[in-house]
Amino acid sequence: MKKKKRRIWPFILLILFLGGAFGVWHERDRLFKETEPVFVTVPVVRQTIQETVSSTGVLNACKQVDVGAQVSGQILSLKVGLGDCVAKGQLLAVIDPSVPQNDLKDAEAELSRIQAQKRIKLAMLKQYELEYQRQQAMFKDRASAKADLESAKATLDATRAEIDALDAQMTQAKISVDTAKTNLGYTQIAAPMDGVVVAVETDEGQTLVSSQTAPTLLILADLDTMTVKALISEADVIRVKPDMPVTFSILGDPDTIYKSRLKSVDPAPESVTDSDTSATTVSSSATYYNGRFDIPNPDHKLRIFMTAQVSIILGEAKNALSIPLSVLGSSMGNDRYEVRVLQNGQERPRMIRTGLKDNIYVQVLEGLREGEQVIVGDSKTSAVQVEQSNENRKKRGFRGPPPGGGGGPPPM
């Protein structure tokens, strides 16, 4: 038995030795691998890049008219309702014509009175002309005094002047008649254009007073073409110019993309006052400028005051070399950046020049070739970041989750 036990001990020692050697080799291999970082890379690819300015816009009718009343009176009837399509010249409403009709009758009566006075004066003028001719003949034959001739001449001239005055009064009376007729016509309110009734501001039976301002009865809008008014921030407006391509979508149908071109950019904000433009005025709120463009709307799907998510395309590059924005290193100015490139398993810095950029990718103009691998991160950097995060949490005095929660370090 003792001989058998002596034979077993060498095998046990050999097994222990091999196990220890394997453990040392495994630990050495693990430490060696940890010293070599594992790189995460992305390839340089070709794709289309659009650089855009995003803004929020509001839709409105390309043409909109407030239909008002120019005469006072009670609305006898409204011929249209909200949403009705109307044609130019169509009757929209009728205002009580009693007062304008009476004004027209007064103006016509005054014109008739002046015309009658003129006829009287013309008859008298004929008589005075004959009297003057008779006095001339009698004075020539020394049959009358010079005073009688002068009196006849004065009467004739005065009558002619009175007729001229009556002519002026007649012209004024005709104007009054025309004005009264026009005011009477204003009681029949007709559509000034083709369009859709988008608002009704009055009701039948309501009395309108138009002595100072013309009250609005209803609002007509041409919905066949809509105008989008996009708010462009002061940080972006210096890069935006008319005729740039624009796209937009509405909240109710985000999958449909509408395309147009920027028609104009307002030179100033919508509200400008002396205090706004003063050099000493500093406002904490942002300043926005309106960019306007039109979009056809034949089916009237787009409606007034809808919200539009607008993208103004500053530039577009097709089949362009591109990399993610996240891999850009420090900026060197003039659109030049430093990136890290993986070559033969080794990290190499590279200077590149960039072009257009969107929210995710940036165009590469110089410094990289298609297919090259650009380093996003590595295991060393990730480990350091995790360690720093843990240290920061300890410094902030992290006390663990609330009672009943799980995870996190134990209470200190």
Side-chain angles (χ1 to χ4, degrees):
M1 292 295 294
K2 290 183 179 180
K3 289 183 178 180
K4 289 183 178 179
K5 289 181 179 180
R6 289 176 181 176
R7 291 177 181 175
I8 293 173
W9 273 108
F11 290 104
I12 294 175
L13 293 176
L14 178 61
I15 292 172
L16 291 176
F17 175 77
L18 293 175
F22 177 78
V24 171
W25 175 82
H26 179 73
E27 182 65 18
R28 178 180 175 277
D29 183 66
R30 185 182 67 83
L31 293 174
F32 178 76
K33 288 184 178 178
E34 286 185 354
T35 58
E36 290 186 353
V38 177
F39 295 103
V40 179
T41 63
V42 292
V44 181
V45 297
R46 290 189 179 273
Q47 61 181 346
T48 298
I49 295 181
Q50 281 187 347
E51 185 169 355
T52 62
V53 168
S54 299
S55 68
T56 301
V58 177
L59 279 79
N60 215 324
C62 181
K63 186 179 182 182
Q64 182 172 302
V65 176
D66 295 346
V67 180
Q70 293 181 266
V71 293
S72 300
Q74 187 182 48
I75 298 178
L76 295 183
S77 64
L78 281 174
K79 305 296 184 181
V80 295
L82 187 64
D84 289 350
C85 294
V86 300
K88 184 177 181 180
Q90 180 178 335
L91 184 63
L92 303 178
V94 177
I95 298 176
D96 184 9
S98 300
V99 174
Q101 284 176 346
N102 292 335
D103 292 340
L104 177 59
K105 291 177 182 179
D106 287 342
E108 290 175 340
E110 178 65 16
L111 178 60
S112 298
R113 185 185 66 82
I114 296 173
Q115 289 173 339
Q117 286 184 345
K118 182 179 179 181
R119 288 194 297 271
I120 293 173
K121 290 297 181 181
L122 288 174
M124 293 177 65
L125 177 64
K126 198 168 190 179
Q127 178 184 353
Y128 293 148
E129 286 176 345
L130 294 173
E131 178 64 22
Y132 178 64
Q133 292 173 2
R134 187 165 49 252
Q135 288 295 331
Q136 282 182 321
M138 291 176 64
F139 180 74
K140 187 176 181 181
D141 295 338
R142 299 179 183 273
S144 65
K146 184 178 181 180
D148 295 335
L149 177 62
E150 292 174 347
S151 177
K153 178 69 168 59
T155 302
L156 178 61
D157 293 340
T159 303
R160 287 173 175 168
E162 289 174 356
I163 291 174
D164 291 340
L166 288 173
D167 286 338
Q169 292 178 25
M170 190 180 303
T171 300
Q172 187 175 5
K174 288 180 179 179
I175 293 174
S176 298
V177 170
D178 292 340
T179 301
K181 287 181 179 179
T182 301
N183 289 335
L184 181 60
Y186 288 153
T187 61
Q188 305 282 319
I189 299 176
M193 69 174 195
D194 296 340
V196 178
V197 179
V198 296
V200 178
E201 304 290 336
T202 57
D203 298 316
E204 288 186 1
Q206 183 174 341
T207 300
L208 305 177
V209 180
S210 59
S211 57
Q212 294 182 347
T213 58
T216 300
L217 276 71
L218 47 87
I219 300 175
L220 291 181
D222 181 4
L223 301 182
D224 291 337
T225 302
M226 303 295 288
T227 295
V228 181
K229 189 164 61 174
L231 295 177
I232 305 173
S233 70
E234 58 181 314
D236 295 324
V237 74
I238 58 175
R239 300 186 293 161
V240 174
K241 298 178 181 179
D243 203 42
M244 281 185 170
V246 294
T247 62
F248 76 94
S249 62
I250 56 177
L251 298 180
D253 186 13
D255 295 331
T256 301
I257 304 299
Y258 298 88
K259 297 181 180 181
S260 183
R261 284 192 171 272
L262 197 64
K263 185 167 66 174
S264 65
V265 180
D266 292 354
E270 197 162 89
S271 178
V272 178
T273 63
D274 292 339
S275 60
D276 292 333
T277 56
S278 172
T280 59
T281 301
V282 178
S283 175
S284 59
S285 61
T287 301
Y288 292 92
Y289 299 81
N290 288 325
R292 305 171 190 267
F293 59 91
D294 296 335
I295 188 73
N297 187 35
D299 56 356
H300 293 183
K301 182 179 180 180
L302 302 176
R303 298 172 181 263
I304 293 175
F305 293 155
M306 278 185 170
T307 301
Q309 303 297 329
V310 181
S311 293
I312 303 172
I313 302 174
L314 302 180
E316 182 179 40
K318 296 183 178 180
N319 198 32
L321 290 175
S322 63
I323 57 175
L325 285 168
S326 58
V327 304
L328 293 180
S330 56
S331 174
M332 302 302 174
N334 296 324
D335 296 325
R336 295 184 180 275
Y337 294 86
E338 184 180 271
V339 296
R340 296 181 299 162
V341 180
L342 186 64
Q343 286 184 331
N344 301 322
Q346 300 295 321
E347 176 185 348
R348 295 287 185 268
R350 185 82 62 80
M351 185 72 64
I352 66 171
R353 184 168 68 90
T354 62
L356 301 177
K357 62 185 70 174
D358 56 22
N359 295 329
I360 302 175
Y361 293 96
V362 59
Q363 179 187 14
V364 178
L365 300 178
E366 295 177 2
L368 291 174
R369 296 187 304 274
E370 183 178 3
E372 286 191 296
Q373 298 293 321
V374 181
I375 297 174
V376 178
D378 56 68
S379 57
K380 277 188 175 181
T381 304
S382 300
V384 172
Q385 289 176 347
V386 171
E387 185 66 26
Q388 288 178 348
S389 177
N390 292 335
E391 290 295 329
N392 292 334
R393 293 172 70 188
K394 290 180 181 180
K395 289 179 181 179
R396 290 195 299 266
F398 182 76
R399 296 291 179 179
M412 296 176 65

